[in-house]
Amino acid sequence: MDMSQLNKTQKAAVEAVKGPVLIFAGAGSGKTRVLTYKISYLINKNIVNPENVLAVTFTNKAAGEMKSRVKSLLGNSTPTPSIGTFHSICARLLRDEIYRLGFTPQYNIYDTKDQEALMKSVLSELGILKEFSSPIEVLRKISFMKNKFIFPDEGREKAKTQKEKKIIDIYESYQHALKENDALDFDDLILTPLILFDKYPVVLNALRKKWKYVLVDEYQDTNIPQFEFVKAIAEKHQQICVVGDDDQSIYGWRGAEVRNILEFEKTFPDCQLFKLETNYRSTHEILNAATHVVQNNHNRKPKELSAHNGSGDKLGLFETVDELEESDAVISSIGKEVKLNKYQFNEFGVLYRTNAQARALEDSFRRNGIPYVIVGGIRFYERKEIKDILSYLRLIINPKDMIALKRIVNFPPRGIGLKTITKCQNLADKKNLPLFDVFDDLSGLDLRNKQVTSLKYFYDLIIKYRELVDKLSPNEFTRTLVEEAGIIKYYKSSELMEDSERLQNVNELLNSIDDFSARESNVVLNDFLEEVSLLTDLDKLNEEDNRVSLMTLHSSKGLEFPIVFITGLEDGLFPLSRSFNNPQDLEEERRLFYVGLTRAMQKAYLLYATNRRKIGIDYDVGFASRFLTEIPEEFLEKIPFRSALMHKVTKRRGASTRLKSKRTITSFDDFTVGDFVEHAVFGTGKIMALSGTGENQRVAVVFKGGIKKKLIVRFANLKKIDYKD
């Protein structure tokens, strides 16, 4: 096996195969390479068989990359080991074993929308819907308890206030409702195997025999249940290798425990320790700036990272008047990099601390006609029309799924209202049957013939397709279903513009099932439902799509871009003000800055605003983030910038500071069709059409390379030029 691509420390870490191994992998130090080479080394040296290796990580993107690399190292003839996310590995395990806990192998996985719908039902049944007006907030508290490995009984003992006790009651009722619906939420996917291990040791013993070597990626992000899962499997044979970086632990707010990696040596005392300290991603200037910030944390392991890629440019630092000028500074910098250094749009990542910051950036990108994608927007599989079809599929697989049933029983519209469903639910409760089962015989209910006919049609449709589910491929099955259910006809007959778009999305879903069926052999419908249930925002990021990526700093984890912008670097925004009085939270904010900055490969720009609008037209006066003051000045280059916005800050007695903005046009031409113009980003182009006059004038321009853009003249900063071929 050729390991010439590994450095000395990487090679030693790969070859350490006896007993526990802890690898501290600094940012960009090649941890994925080490993991994949280690898996290949274990198999090629016959230390362990492929089927006896378990490798877990946190995103489908990372798991897919790991599988691909391992396959290329081992060759297609060697079976692929078990590689996947914690959730996908556990979901697969539970398909075989969850029957022991009273669930069926066809259990459904509820996403956040399903959980919210179920929680509303639970709160309504408990008669406290008004008291807890936000089901999402209750779900967050329950999720936090699950990630801390706290079950209702223990939570009740710890509860101090009446509200905390009420939350535990809701937690208990919510879990009961999940089981009634034969469903698990994301957190339960990890907790349920631990319950199985405790009640049925035979399950754990079988897994220990199956998975004789365990590897864990991004170990710093594990929560207590994930830690207990890998510990349970590996604590007897001690054949475990974990890779991570405590400086990149940024998910404490959702239960991740950085002490899992910091105290690994206590859990596995005889472990071998390796530190990967050569960074292959970023320049010296970027890496050193990030390191100077994170070194201010006390709860970390010391590391001495060095950059393999040489010195590079200083970090650009912008002080702007407000968030509008900040956005203009980002646009201006992208324009210069595209024009002067020939960067593509997909080589830029624009990062921010909170989703609310995206609005001003989006506006600026739209005005300037620069293509962008927001990572973390509405996922494709969460769109209404897609959820409707998935709910049909879920109900066919699992008729106990009340959430799926209530979503589609009247879609396409069949004249079945809430009162009708309430009557059916009361009958189901009386007969102690699932809601779906009572649709077969509604003779005891006071319903109109039309409603009875509609419910019977719905019941027969689901039963028919339950019988077909094992006879057709997933793509044939779904295409036939959406036609017969009337979904295609419903959208085709609609005159609403949004329904035309929804029909396109339905077709895209059918295409995705085609792709899934072609990609995997011997798959069943439930495999597809499981895959889409576990997708994350990162999985839809198409790196070949030539758009600037806008995302939160948390979403940037695991990605890299030649040029990165970190915006909103003001104390109170980043770091968030709520972290000021909590040292642990402040250290996590500092780690988040470290993660964001080390996404940059060649250049980084840091931006902050001295005023930022909070609510309506009220502005807060901003001060540069303390993280900026922790970067030595020799790594920073202050870039003077003033956009076309002219600002006046006025102060009134007895009132907060308010900021008034007025945009002035510094250069403006009344363009005509046929004029040649120059744009800071797109270069030279020709005006093909226009509408309006003055500063409201809009132009359609074809730029070199065939790029077509519609621009508002007052924002686009177009310059009329004399042009000859």
Side-chain angles (χ1 to χ4, degrees):
M1 181 178 173
D2 181 18
M3 292 198 285
S4 59
Q5 292 188 9
L6 303 178
N7 64 35
K8 185 178 178 181
T9 309
Q10 289 173 333
K11 185 171 181 290
V14 166
E15 293 175 339
V17 293
K18 290 185 178 179
V21 175
L22 168 61
I23 303 173
F24 280 105
S29 62
K31 68 175 178 62
T32 304
R33 176 177 290 180
V34 170
L35 270 175
T36 52
Y37 268 82
K38 193 173 187 73
I39 293 169
S40 305
Y41 183 83
L42 287 164
I43 294 168
N44 281 326
K45 294 292 183 181
N46 297 316
I47 297 165
V48 66
N49 294 325
E51 62 269 22
N52 299 131
V53 174
L54 170 66
V56 286
T57 185
F58 280 85
T59 67
N60 292 299
K61 181 183 172 70
E65 184 179 353
M66 203 183 296
K67 284 180 186 176
S68 177
R69 290 200 197 184
V70 168
K71 204 165 189 175
S72 67
L73 288 169
L74 292 175
N76 292 326
S77 59
T78 305
T80 305
S82 296
I83 299 174
T85 64
F86 274 99
H87 291 93
S88 65
I89 292 292
C90 288
R92 214 175 305 152
L93 151 68
L94 291 173
R95 294 289 172 204
D96 297 327
E97 301 293 346
I98 202 170
Y99 72 91
R100 300 175 187 269
L101 298 177
F103 292 80
T104 72
Q106 291 77 39
Y107 72 90
N108 284 335
I109 302 169
Y110 276 7
D111 65 14
T112 51
K113 294 292 184 184
D114 301 321
Q115 290 173 249
E116 188 178 349
L118 185 62
M119 179 56 73
K120 284 181 180 176
S121 175
V122 168
L123 293 175
S124 179
E125 287 180 13
L126 292 174
I128 53 176
L129 188 57
K130 291 182 180 179
E131 186 177 342
F132 292 94
S133 57
S134 173
I136 295 174
E137 189 58 36
V138 182
L139 284 166
R140 282 183 186 144
K141 291 177 179 177
I142 291 173
S143 178
F144 190 79
M145 282 188 276
K146 288 183 178 183
N147 287 327
K148 293 295 184 183
F149 208 20
I150 298 172
F151 293 100
D153 288 345
E154 184 184 352
R156 189 166 281 110
E157 291 176 7
K158 293 183 176 181
K160 296 177 182 178
T161 67
Q162 281 300 117
K163 188 168 185 178
E164 287 176 350
K165 291 175 183 177
K166 189 75 76 175
I167 292 288
I168 300 299
D169 291 339
I170 297 169
Y171 182 1
E172 201 163 50
S173 296
Y174 170 71
Q175 291 303 114
H176 180 69
L178 280 170
K179 190 166 186 179
E180 279 191 334
N181 284 273
D182 197 22
L184 301 179
D185 64 19
F186 291 137
D187 298 323
D188 287 336
L189 286 175
I190 312 297
L191 284 173
T192 308
L194 298 177
I195 296 170
L196 276 169
F197 295 168
D198 182 54
K199 290 188 174 182
Y200 302 96
V202 63
V203 175
L204 176 57
N205 291 332
L207 290 177
R208 285 172 172 168
K209 289 178 182 177
K210 177 183 179 182
W211 291 324
K212 296 178 180 177
Y213 203 101
V214 179
L215 303 99
V216 187
D217 186 21
E218 303 285 9
Y219 191 67
Q220 79 281 347
D221 290 333
T222 54
N223 58 27
I224 295 175
Q226 289 160 341
F227 163 75
E228 292 292 343
F229 178 80
V230 294
K231 177 189 171 189
I233 294 169
E235 66 181 345
K236 279 206 169 182
H237 57 58
Q238 296 279 300
Q239 293 295 84
I240 181 171
C241 171
V242 302
V243 184
D245 181 8
D246 52 307
D247 286 336
Q248 297 186 70
S249 179
I250 59 173
Y251 297 113
W253 51 276
R254 69 183 188 197
E257 294 278 357
V258 68
R259 62 188 173 91
N260 286 347
I261 191 168
L262 294 174
E263 298 179 5
F264 182 82
E265 294 162 275
K266 292 182 181 178
T267 309
F268 296 93
D270 298 323
C271 78
Q272 298 180 67
L273 175 65
F274 299 90
K275 291 183 180 181
L276 306 183
E277 296 176 307
T278 302
N279 177 289
Y280 294 95
R281 178 190 299 142
S282 306
T283 64
H284 171 83
E285 302 287 317
I286 293 168
L287 185 63
N288 271 18
T291 301
H292 271 87
V293 174
V294 83
Q295 280 178 347
N296 288 280
N297 281 356
H298 299 291
N299 194 28
R300 66 183 294 268
K301 291 280 187 179
K303 304 171 200 70
E304 297 293 334
L305 266 65
S306 60
H308 184 265
N309 291 343
S311 181
D313 296 335
K314 292 184 177 183
L315 283 66
L317 176 62
F318 285 93
E319 176 187 285
T320 61
V321 174
D322 62 5
E323 73 273 12
L324 302 179
E325 187 171 80
E326 179 183 64
S327 300
D328 283 352
V330 171
I331 296 295
S332 173
S333 300
I334 289 175
K336 288 176 182 176
E337 295 291 358
V338 168
K339 189 174 182 180
L340 299 177
N341 299 316
K342 309 305 179 187
Y343 281 99
Q344 299 293 309
F345 289 129
N346 59 4
E347 294 180 296
F348 298 94
V350 182
L351 315 182
Y352 37 83
R353 181 63 184 85
T354 66
N355 280 304
Q357 293 168 250
R359 198 273 312 158
L361 288 162
E362 273 197 271
D363 287 349
S364 193
F365 274 85
R366 278 198 299 266
R367 285 198 306 265
N368 288 277
I370 296 178
Y372 68 93
V373 59
I374 289 194
V375 179
I378 297 176
R379 286 172 41 204
F380 176 76
Y381 293 102
E382 289 180 351
R383 296 178 186 276
K384 179 198 177 299
E385 59 275 17
I386 304 305
K387 288 276 292 179
D388 288 339
I389 295 174
L390 294 180
S391 292
Y392 267 99
L393 301 178
R394 283 170 37 189
L395 184 64
I396 289 165
I397 294 292
N398 176 10
K400 291 183 180 179
D401 192 336
M402 182 181 66
I403 300 301
L405 186 156
K406 288 184 175 179
R407 183 182 185 96
I408 59 169
V409 68
N410 194 42
F411 179 79
R414 301 184 179 94
I416 302 170
L418 183 59
K419 288 184 179 179
T420 301
I421 294 301
T422 302
K423 289 179 182 179
C424 295
Q425 185 67 64
N426 292 337
L427 180 61
D429 294 341
K430 186 178 178 180
K431 292 186 174 184
N432 197 26
L433 291 172
L435 176 60
F436 178 75
D437 288 358
V438 304
F439 293 169
D440 188 35
D441 181 10
L442 297 165
S443 56
L445 289 180
D446 179 24
L447 297 176
R448 295 196 303 271
N449 286 338
K450 182 183 177 183
Q451 293 168 325
V452 173
T453 302
S454 294
L455 287 169
K456 189 66 171 69
Y457 167 79
F458 179 74
Y459 176 84
D460 290 342
L461 180 73
I462 300 302
I463 292 297
K464 174 183 176 179
Y465 278 89
R466 277 183 63 75
E467 294 170 355
L468 288 173
V469 72
D470 295 325
K471 298 175 183 177
L472 299 174
S473 64
N475 50 333
E476 290 175 313
F477 179 89
T478 311
R479 286 184 180 277
T480 308
L481 171 66
V482 296
E483 283 285 356
E484 187 168 347
I487 296 171
I488 298 293
K489 181 181 178 182
Y490 172 76
Y491 285 128
K492 278 186 174 179
S493 61
S494 174
E495 296 181 359
L496 296 174
M497 183 68 72
E498 58 263 35
D499 282 345
S500 175
E501 184 178 336
R502 283 174 173 162
L503 179 59
Q504 292 177 21
N505 288 335
V506 168
N507 288 326
E508 184 59 33
L509 172 67
L510 297 175
N511 291 338
S512 74
I513 301 178
D514 288 343
D515 294 341
F516 176 80
S517 299
R519 188 176 75 243
E520 305 281 349
S521 57
N522 302 319
V523 291
V524 295
L525 187 62
N526 214 28
D527 294 330
F528 176 76
L529 291 175
E530 182 177 296
E531 179 173 284
V532 300
S533 294
L534 300 177
L535 286 176
T536 66
D537 294 324
L538 289 181
D539 300 316
K540 69 173 183 177
L541 181 61
N542 183 358
E543 293 173 355
E544 295 179 1
D545 196 6
N546 194 23
R547 297 170 179 267
V548 178
S549 295
L550 276 60
M551 69 190 76
T552 65
L553 284 131
H554 281 98
S555 295
S556 73
K557 181 79 180 297
L559 302 177
E560 59 183 30
F561 300 93
I563 299 179
V564 163
F565 296 84
I566 301 181
T567 63
L569 275 164
E570 299 120 45
D571 251 22
L573 180 56
F574 191 28
L576 292 173
S577 55
R578 65 171 180 252
S579 69
F580 291 171
N581 298 319
N582 187 320
Q584 287 184 336
D585 289 349
L586 185 58
E587 292 207 350
E588 181 153 317
E589 291 283 297
R590 196 174 272 116
R591 292 194 294 266
L592 185 58
F593 177 81
Y594 176 83
V595 165
L597 189 50
T598 54
R599 299 310 93 199
M601 300 165 70
Q602 296 161 15
K603 292 184 180 181
Y605 292 96
L606 310 177
L607 302 96
Y608 70 97
T610 53
N611 298 271
R612 188 174 295 271
R613 187 162 45 189
K614 297 294 183 183
I615 302 173
I617 59 171
D618 287 336
Y619 281 79
D620 273 359
V621 177
F623 297 94
S625 169
R626 62 193 67 192
F627 300 156
L628 292 175
T629 65
E630 292 171 356
I631 300 174
E633 286 190 12
E634 62 262 30
F635 297 123
L636 298 171
E637 178 187 355
K638 294 182 179 178
I639 303 174
F641 180 79
R642 279 294 172 264
S643 71
L645 283 174
M646 302 299 291
H647 300 279
K648 290 183 180 179
V649 180
T650 61
K651 203 160 192 176
R652 297 180 303 163
R653 286 186 183 178
S656 60
T657 300
R658 292 177 182 262
L659 186 146
K660 297 179 181 178
S661 303
K662 181 182 178 183
R663 181 175 291 275
T664 62
I665 308 302
T666 53
S667 61
F668 179 80
D669 290 298
D670 197 7
F671 298 106
T672 58
V673 172
D675 284 346
F676 285 96
V677 293
E678 187 173 61
H679 186 275
V681 174
F682 301 110
T684 303
K686 184 178 182 180
I687 294 178
M688 308 304 292
L690 56 80
S691 62
T693 57
E695 64 177 25
N696 292 320
Q697 190 175 52
R698 295 171 181 266
V699 292
V701 185
V702 176
F703 291 97
K704 267 191 173 181
I707 300 172
K708 298 177 181 178
K709 291 292 171 185
K710 293 180 180 178
L711 304 169
I712 302 172
V713 171
R714 60 174 167 160
F715 295 125
N717 292 323
L718 294 172
K719 292 183 180 178
K720 189 187 293 186
I721 60 170
D722 294 323
Y723 181 75
K724 296 179 181 178
D725 288 325

